[in-house]
């Protein structure tokens, strides 16, 4: 396939030296053979004009364009197959002019490009004593992240990353530069933020309202580590469920419980842990001085004040930290500016395990998880894959409370974005990594989870409620639309917006997108 004349950025075609390295993304390990993730051309634009040339080229040849910023989409939706093109924006907009902070009327705002990783974006805000809610994977890039929500530790207290967007700077299918706001184009603004990521146009920059540290003095958090133990996990999940089932639980608190199989690179998650482990558990180090990282439970707990009279209930932290083996920092519960806490919650490793995976992210709106026995069930299921030694399967699980009538995740339901399932009480991610030889074991384990957790008799959710950032299963989104959107009316509205925004099919590079209306 020929390259595009006039493009100033790099271009790669199959068979050239660097093509295979450039096309690689998170999903390649799992779907590199099953799904054709081999673009006919990869373009790394340096300018907006390069993007216009690529879109014009695609339009003239009636081919499609996939948009990638970091390539972390679990199903591979930021890639495509030949003769289609992939626009790789990871290095496109990283100059001084591509991120700016300004303040007006006592509020802070940030304009940023999509080309920064989440780790870079967080560090920049922290330098300026600002923060926003966002996810926890350092190498996720914020272009895709903002369109799929930006779910993370602060979801109850502050909502989603995407809830803070004020404007989107885009390039449409005809190469026009447009700024989209809730006032200027409410339908397209709504669809971009939660509707069909990457399938409505190319976002190059966006502006958000940020929060200032000085407005939340007294915020505190705790990152605790526990060596894996079934009883400890059950106690922690019981606390999570108690919080989730209580619709009146205060907005001030956020809690996330993670479970990681042995061999997880814990130093990327817990800086300073190595010295403590060497001192307290020398038996874990081999003759070569390298540690065999054990199975662990990691807890993130946070409290933030919103009003002058807010007082932290320290007994909540005390219950959580009971029996912990290691806690980050100089004290059990550290009082820190919120911008620094958001950095503490980031996973600093590129991916959890260097293996293919069978992914699951479930959500539920249940308020009867304790009565229904979900805590016992999920602990048993986690134990079944984590506890056996040398089973060649590795779990990365994350259980987080999102809901309650005081939660900003819930209260932001009608704020002009289209993120689904705002009535969620708990999100449950259970990703099982495996070797080629143990793929069937991982699939069978997840099959039981699907059968027992989801459906009319499911212990977790009576309906199948998935999220676009954590997609799995059928790659044809139109065939499983009801798993990602609350009702047919919402899906059909997105179809109509897609039809108007993508009349030529340029932004339809693979099946994982809202189908354009006929």
């Amino acid at each position: 396939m020929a390259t595009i004349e006039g493009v100033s950025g790099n271009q790669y075609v199959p068979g050239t030296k660097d093509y295979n390295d450039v096309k690689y993304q998170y999903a390649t390990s799992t779907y590199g053979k099953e799904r054709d993730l081999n673009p006919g051309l990869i373009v790394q634009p340096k300018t907006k004009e390069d993007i216009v040339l690529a879109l014009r080229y695609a339009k003239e040849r009636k081919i499609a364009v996939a948009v990638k910023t970091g390539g972390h989409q679990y199903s591979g939706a930021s890639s495509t197959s030949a003769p289609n093109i992939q626009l790789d924006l990871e290095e496109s907009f990283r100059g001084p002019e591509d991120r700016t902070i300004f303040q007006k009327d006592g509020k802070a705002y940030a304009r940023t490009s999509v080309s920064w990783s989440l780790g870079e974006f967080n560090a920049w805000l922290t330098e300026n004593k600002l923060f926003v809610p966002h996810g926890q994977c350092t190498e996720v890039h914020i272009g895709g992240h903002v369109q799929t929500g930006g779910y993370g530790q602060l979801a109850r207290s502050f909502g989603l990353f995407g809830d803070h967007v004020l404007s989107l700077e885009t390039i449409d299918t005809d190469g026009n530069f447009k700024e989209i706001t809730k006032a200027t184009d409410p339908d397209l603004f709504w669809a971009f933020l939660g509707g069909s990521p990457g399938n409505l146009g190319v976002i190059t920059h966006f502006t958000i309202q940020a929060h200032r540290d000085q407005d939340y003095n007294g915020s505190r958090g705790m990152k605790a580590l526990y060596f894996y133990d079934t009883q400890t996990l059950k106690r922690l999940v019981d606390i999570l469920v108690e919080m989730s089932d209580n619709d009146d639980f205060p907005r001030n608190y956020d809690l996330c419980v993670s479970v990681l199989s042995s061999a997880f690179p814990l130093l990327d998650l817990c800086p300073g842990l190595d010295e403590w482990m060497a001192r307290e558990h020398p038996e874990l180090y081999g003759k070569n001085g390298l540690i065999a990282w054990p199975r662990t439970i990691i807890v993130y707990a946070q409290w933030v004040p919103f009003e002058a009279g807010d007082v932290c209930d320290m007994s909540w932290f005390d219950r959580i930290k009971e029996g912990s083996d290691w806690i980050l920092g100089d004290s059990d519960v550290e009082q820190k500016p919120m911008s620094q806490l958001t950095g503490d919650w980031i996973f600093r490793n590129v991916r959890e395990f260097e293996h293919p995976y069978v992914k699951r992210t479930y959500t539920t709106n249940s308020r009867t998880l304790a009565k229904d026995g979900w805590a016992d069930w999920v602990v048993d299921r986690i134990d079944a894959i984590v506890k056996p030694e040398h089973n060649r399967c590795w779990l990365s699980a994350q259980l987080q409370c999102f809901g309650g009538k005081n939660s900003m995740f819930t209260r932001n339901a009608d704020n002009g974005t289209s993120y689904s399932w705002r009535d969620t009480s708990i999100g449950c991610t259970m990703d099982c990594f495996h070797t080629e030889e143990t793929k069937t074991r991982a699939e069978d384990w997840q099959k039981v989870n699907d059968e027992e957790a989801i459906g009319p008799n499911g212990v977790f959710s009576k309906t199948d409620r998935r999220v676009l950032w954590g997609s799995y299963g059928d790659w044809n989104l139109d065939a499983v639309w009801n798993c990602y959107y609350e009702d047919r009316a919402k899906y059909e509205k997105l179809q109509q917006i897609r039809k108007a925004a993508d009349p030529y099919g340029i932004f339809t590079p693979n099946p994982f997108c809202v189908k354009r209306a006929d």
Side-chain angles (χ1 to χ4, degrees), residues 427-476:
C428 174
T429 293
M430 297 201 292
D431 297 343
C432 190
F433 294 76
H434 58 82
T435 65
E436 288 299 318
E437 294 75 21
T438 60
K439 180 179 180 180
T440 299
R441 179 180 298 158
E443 291 175 335
D444 289 346
W445 181 75
Q446 294 285 29
K447 183 179 179 181
V448 174
N449 296 340
D450 292 341
E451 292 173 348
E452 295 182 356
I454 310 300
N457 298 314
V459 70
F460 186 61
S461 178
K462 304 308 178 188
T463 56
D464 191 341
R465 301 156 46 107
R466 308 179 195 180
V467 287
L468 291 169
W469 67 264
S471 59
Y472 65 90
D474 197 326
W475 208 29
N476 181 354

Side-chain angles (χ1 to χ4, degrees), residues 133 148-152 155 158-164 402 409 412 419 422:
T148 54
Y151 288 65
F158 291 95
L160 298 177
F161 183 29
D163 291 335
H164 292 68
F402 285 90
F409 177 84
N412 283 336
Y419 305 115
R422 290 285 196 161

Side-chain angles (χ1 to χ4, degrees), residues 148-429:
T148 54
Y151 288 65
Q153 174 71 10
L154 279 63
R156 289 192 76 256
S157 49
F158 291 95
L160 298 177
F161 183 29
D163 291 335
H164 292 68
V165 173
L166 299 177
S167 71
L168 302 164
E169 297 171 42
T170 70
I171 302 175
D172 72 10
T173 187
D174 291 313
N176 300 311
F177 300 164
K178 291 184 176 180
E179 182 174 10
I180 299 167
T181 70
K182 190 160 48 174
T184 60
D185 195 334
D187 281 354
L188 198 53
F189 184 85
W190 175 81
F192 260 112
L193 298 175
S196 191
N199 309 129
L200 297 160
V202 181
I203 300 177
T204 62
H205 299 75
F206 58 93
T207 299
I208 59 170
Q209 182 174 341
H211 299 282
R212 305 184 303 176
D213 282 344
Q214 67 192 64
D215 297 326
Y216 303 94
N217 289 323
S219 57
R220 59 196 68 194
M222 180 181 72
K223 182 190 288 187
L225 177 148
Y226 312 74
F227 293 136
Y228 181 81
D229 173 79
T230 307
Q231 290 183 336
T232 298
L233 180 60
K234 176 60 166 58
R235 184 180 64 79
L236 293 169
V237 174
D238 280 342
I239 295 172
L240 188 75
V241 168
E242 179 184 309
M243 179 178 175
S244 175
D245 281 352
N246 181 358
D247 202 41
D248 294 316
F249 206 89
R251 169 190 172 190
N252 312 71
Y253 299 86
D254 287 283
L255 178 62
C256 178
V257 178
S258 298
V259 181
L260 302 164
S261 290
S262 57
F264 182 88
L266 286 169
L267 285 183
D268 293 332
L269 186 59
C270 302
L273 178 62
D274 195 38
E275 294 181 6
W276 180 87
M277 291 286 278
R279 183 176 65 251
E280 300 293 331
H281 294 280
E283 73 278 5
L284 296 175
Y285 289 77
K287 294 180 180 179
N288 58 3
L290 298 177
I291 188 171
W293 291 112
R295 299 163 294 183
T296 52
I297 303 166
I298 307 290
V299 170
Y300 293 170
Q302 173 190 284
W303 178 85
V304 56
F306 293 105
E307 298 177 0
D310 285 352
V311 177
C312 180
D313 180 1
M314 293 303 296
S315 67
W316 182 74
F317 282 103
D318 291 339
R319 288 182 64 198
I320 294 167
K321 73 182 181 183
E322 179 186 330
S324 60
D325 292 283
W326 179 86
I327 294 179
L328 176 68
D330 298 326
S331 60
D332 288 351
V333 182
E334 289 197 301
Q335 185 167 314
K336 274 186 176 182
M338 282 300 300
S339 64
Q340 294 181 27
L341 284 175
T342 58
D344 286 344
W345 309 142
I346 290 180
F347 282 40
R348 299 293 171 181
N349 48 307
V350 175
R351 61 185 293 152
E352 297 86 342
F353 300 98
E354 294 296 328
H355 296 283
Y357 51 87
V358 183
K359 180 165 187 61
R360 292 295 185 273
T361 294
Y362 307 119
T363 72
T364 184
N365 62 354
S366 172
R367 295 294 189 276
T368 59
L369 291 175
K371 184 181 73 173
D372 297 337
W374 176 73
D376 287 325
W377 177 87
V378 75
V379 170
D380 286 345
R381 294 305 301 152
I382 288 173
D383 209 46
I385 203 71
V386 170
K387 198 168 185 177
E389 296 282 355
H390 312 301
N391 68 351
R392 308 298 292 167
C393 284
W394 298 267
L395 180 68
S396 175
Q398 194 171 56
L399 318 176
Q400 182 175 346
C401 183
F402 285 90
K405 67 183 183 183
N406 298 311
S407 163
M408 291 308 297
F409 177 84
T410 303
R411 290 163 59 185
N412 283 336
D414 298 317
N415 68 348
T417 65
S418 57
Y419 305 115
S420 295
W421 314 122
R422 290 285 196 161
D423 61 346
T424 293
S425 53
I426 278 186
C428 174
T429 293

